[in-house]
Amino acid sequence: MTAAAQGGRSSVQEANKALARRWFDEGWSRGELEVADEIFAPRFLLGGKPVGPGGPKESVRLRRTAFSGLTVQVGLQVAEGPWVASWYTTRGTHVGEFAGVAPTGRAISSEGIQLWRVENGLVVEDRNVFDVQRVLGQLRAPEGKIPGPAPFATDLRR
C-alpha cells in the first residue's frame, strides 16, 4: 500500500475517533442532543435495531434525568477500517429513578466499551457494553459499603 493510501486511511480512522469523542463530549457530557443529527445516520442501528438519531437522543435524555452532572471521559480508542472502539468512564450523581432504584443522591462511576461502524462520516451501527451492575452495586450498597469508583479510562492508557 502506498504511503498516501495509508495516510488517507489513517485520517479516516482519526476522523472516526474524533466523531466518537464529539458525541461523548457534546451529547453525553453537555447534553447537546441536536448534535446527534450530525453524527448518526437516519437509519442508525443500535444493537441491531433501527432507531435513527432519536435513539441516542433518548438514551442520553433518560440517563441525564437519572444522573445529574453526568460526564463521559474517553480513554483508549482503536480504529480499524470503518470501525472505532472507545473505552469510556461515566460519572454522575443519582437524582432520578434508574433501573427501578429510587434516587439515592450517591455519586456513581462505571465503565463501558462502544463499537461504532462509520460510513461517509456518519455512525451507522453501535454495539456497546456498559457495566450497569457496577452502577447498581453502588446504588444498592449499604451506607459505608459503597464500592470505590471506577478508574478514569484515561488514567489507564499506556
Side-chain angles (χ1 to χ4, degrees):
M1 180 177 294
T2 68
Q6 287 177 337
R9 184 171 70 191
S10 176
S11 64
V12 168
Q13 291 169 346
E14 289 305 314
N16 292 349
K17 289 180 188 180
L19 192 65
R21 287 190 307 271
R22 181 179 180 206
W23 176 241
F24 282 125
D25 179 45
E26 294 178 32
W28 281 102
S29 294
R30 294 191 217 165
E32 297 172 1
L33 301 183
E34 66 282 352
V35 75
D37 296 319
E38 300 172 21
I39 292 176
F40 298 96
R43 299 187 55 81
F44 168 69
L45 300 173
L46 180 60
K49 178 182 171 188
V51 296
K57 287 179 185 179
E58 184 64 12
S59 292
V60 170
R61 193 175 2 262
L62 290 172
R63 294 303 181 272
R64 290 183 63 82
T65 298
F67 298 97
S68 72
L70 184 69
T71 61
V72 180
Q73 185 175 20
V74 177
L76 178 68
Q77 287 187 298
V78 178
E80 178 72 30
W83 296 95
V84 59
S86 302
W87 172 33
Y88 60 91
T89 303
T90 62
R91 297 191 186 278
T93 302
H94 185 221
V95 297
E97 184 176 323
F98 176 74
V101 178
T104 63
R106 291 181 174 177
I108 61 93
S109 67
S110 196
E111 300 171 280
I113 297 173
Q114 168 193 278
L115 179 63
W116 275 0
R117 184 167 54 92
V118 181
E119 293 180 359
N120 301 316
L122 294 175
V123 182
V124 297
E125 182 178 1
D126 175 301
R127 300 287 176 158
N128 65 72
V129 178
F130 180 73
D131 193 351
V132 173
Q133 292 307 311
R134 183 178 187 90
V135 174
L136 292 174
Q138 293 170 71
L139 299 180
R140 293 178 175 155
E143 279 303 319
K145 302 284 185 187
I146 300 169
F152 275 115
T154 54
D155 293 344
L156 301 177
R157 281 191 287 187
R158 294 182 188 208

